[in-house]
Structures are given as C-alpha cells and as structure tokens.
Amino acid sequence: AQSVTQLDSQVPVFEEAPVELRCNYSSSVSVYLFWYVQYPNQGLQLLLKYLSGSTLVKGINGFEAEFNKSQTSFHLRKPSVHISDTAEYFCAVLLGGSQGNLIFGKGTKLSVKP
Amino acid sequence: GAGVSQTPSNKVTEKGKYVELRCDPISGHTALYWYRQSLGQGPEFLIYFQGTGAADDSGLPNDRFFAVRPEGSVSTLKIQRTERGDSAVYLCASSFLGGRAPDTQYFGPGTRLTVL
C-alpha cells in the first residue's frame, strides 16, 4: 500500500535557524508531491508542489523542497525561519492515474522559538 | 475570491444522532473532496465528487456515512447513528479539474465534530 512518512512529529528550532522537515513516500507508480501548511485554527494551505520538471521546487514564504526519486523523498527546507512559521506541515502524495485523492503524512509540528 | 467554506465550524452531538456537514466549494471548481482528520493524524480521504457524481467513495468507513452533491456545487456529508469514534475534523477541498490531472486542492477550515 502506498504511504507517506514524516519522520519527525515535532521540530523545535530557534528563529533565523535553518530547518528541514523530512518526508518519504512509498509507491510503485509515478507520484505528484505536495506540502501543505496548517496555521493554528486555520485550514490547510498549499506551500508548494512537484508535478514534473526541475526537482527543486520553490514555494511561498521562502520554503523549497527537493524531489529525490531514488530515495523516494521530498524534504522541505527553509534557510532561515521566522516566528510566524510556527505551524503544522503536511506532506502529501497524489498517485499518478488515481482519481485525485491525496495521501497525507501524519504531519510535523514546527515550533520556532525566539 | 471566496475560498472553500464549511458549516458549521463546530458540531457537538450525542451518540446515535444524525448529523449533516456542509461544504461550499470555490465557484467553478468541478471536483470536490471530503477528508477526515483525527487528532494527531493527517487528513484521510473519504469521498471524491466529479460534478454531481461520486467518482470514488472508497474512503467512506462504513454505510453510516453518505455524501451528496446534487447540483454539482454544494456538498453535504451525512453521518447516521454517530459513534464516539466519528469525532474528528471533517475537511472539504475543491479543485478546478480533478480526475487524473494533478490539480491543486484548496481546503476549507473544516468542521470539528464531537460525539459525546
């Protein structure tokens, strides 16, 4: 069965430090990859997505992610975080040829401390 | 423009009762999805509509759950004989195309359902 694994449930970092949130997936078919962010008391918001082409994808708020097919990973990075980045981040996979339902990881809570 | 809206934002009910959760998608979006997010988990797919028809309902946990989208816009998720295990945040999303296109799904704020 296809699955998405987010290896860290919580990531505490200090403001202006770099951060990497890890995501691995298992699938025998082609995939499209997404990162969503959920701020406290808000809905899921798309951060970035990989559909095809360049494996390095840039998103909103200075985030970027790199698709690595051989390692089946799609890690999210930001070189310098802000307090306002405190939120929960979800990695999701859309299977090629599927009807469109996303498969989500369990999420990573990013806490940025001053 | 207006995003996906869901009503109510919170719903508290008693075990055994019937509930309806409503989703208003972004205008013009043909695809509509329902997900359920339990505490500490990521969203889990329930059902997907393309237009008025349910294209994939494989995520519905049992026959107590049912969803409709009669005019291809607003959708209602219906839960009969609610159980405490149904307590979760129910998320609705919509996208322009759906189907096999890798379309961005836009999510609503969710309805938090609590079954006492």
Side-chain angles (χ1 to χ4, degrees), chain A:
Chain A
Q2 288 78 13
S3 66
V4 177
T5 302
Q6 292 185 243
L7 296 166
D8 305 298
S9 60
Q10 297 190 48
V11 174
V13 293
F14 287 106
E15 195 173 18
E16 297 183 6
V19 72
E20 178 180 82
L21 306 183
R22 296 178 291 172
C23 173
N24 287 84
Y25 65 92
S26 65
S27 175
S28 57
V29 300
S30 61
V31 296
Y32 306 106
L33 297 154
F34 303 77
W35 275 99
Y36 281 84
V37 59
Q38 189 171 36
Y39 298 104
N41 300 314
Q42 294 187 30
L44 290 164
Q45 179 182 353
L46 182 68
L47 207 52
L48 50 76
K49 61 185 177 184
Y50 171 78
L51 304 182
S52 64
S54 172
T55 56
L56 183 63
V57 180
K58 293 188 183 299
I60 60 172
N61 301 338
F63 283 92
E64 63 180 33
E66 186 158 18
F67 170 54
N68 188 320
K69 187 174 181 179
S70 63
Q71 297 187 4
T72 59
S73 68
F74 190 55
H75 301 332
L76 182 70
R77 301 185 182 100
K78 185 169 183 178
S80 176
V81 294
H82 302 136
I83 297 286
S84 59
D85 292 323
T86 294
E88 189 155 22
Y89 293 79
F90 291 93
C91 180
V93 162
L94 177 64
L95 301 178
S98 75
Q99 286 293 316
N101 49 296
L102 292 167
I103 301 169
F104 284 87
K106 291 186 176 183
T108 298
K109 289 183 180 176
L110 175 65
S111 298
V112 182
K113 305 175 186 303

Side-chain angles (χ1 to χ4, degrees), chain B:
Chain B
V4 178
S5 62
Q6 294 185 245
T7 54
S9 55
N10 279 283
K11 176 70 176 178
V12 180
T13 191
E14 294 180 343
K15 181 175 178 294
K17 299 289 188 182
Y18 168 83
V19 297
E20 289 189 353
L21 311 179
R22 177 188 167 105
C23 172
D24 279 87
I26 292 172
S27 178
H29 279 193
T30 61
L32 185 146
Y33 310 80
W34 284 98
Y35 293 84
R36 178 169 71 174
Q37 187 175 15
S38 301
L39 197 61
Q41 303 293 319
E44 292 179 308
F45 168 76
L46 295 176
I47 186 170
Y48 152 61
F49 287 90
Q50 182 65 267
T52 60
D56 183 358
D57 64 358
S58 61
L60 294 177
N62 51 60
D63 60 6
R64 295 186 298 106
F65 288 75
F66 188 70
V68 295
R69 194 186 185 200
E71 297 178 357
S73 178
V74 170
S75 176
T76 305
L77 178 66
K78 308 180 180 194
I79 310 174
Q80 298 177 321
R81 305 183 304 280
T82 52
E83 299 178 356
R84 292 192 180 88
D86 298 335
S87 296
V89 176
Y90 288 80
L91 299 170
C92 177
S94 71
S95 70
F96 185 59
L97 291 174
R100 288 171 170 76
D103 216 6
T104 297
Q105 295 181 25
Y106 296 88
F107 283 80
T111 293
R112 183 176 298 278
L113 175 66
T114 303
V115 182
L116 301 177

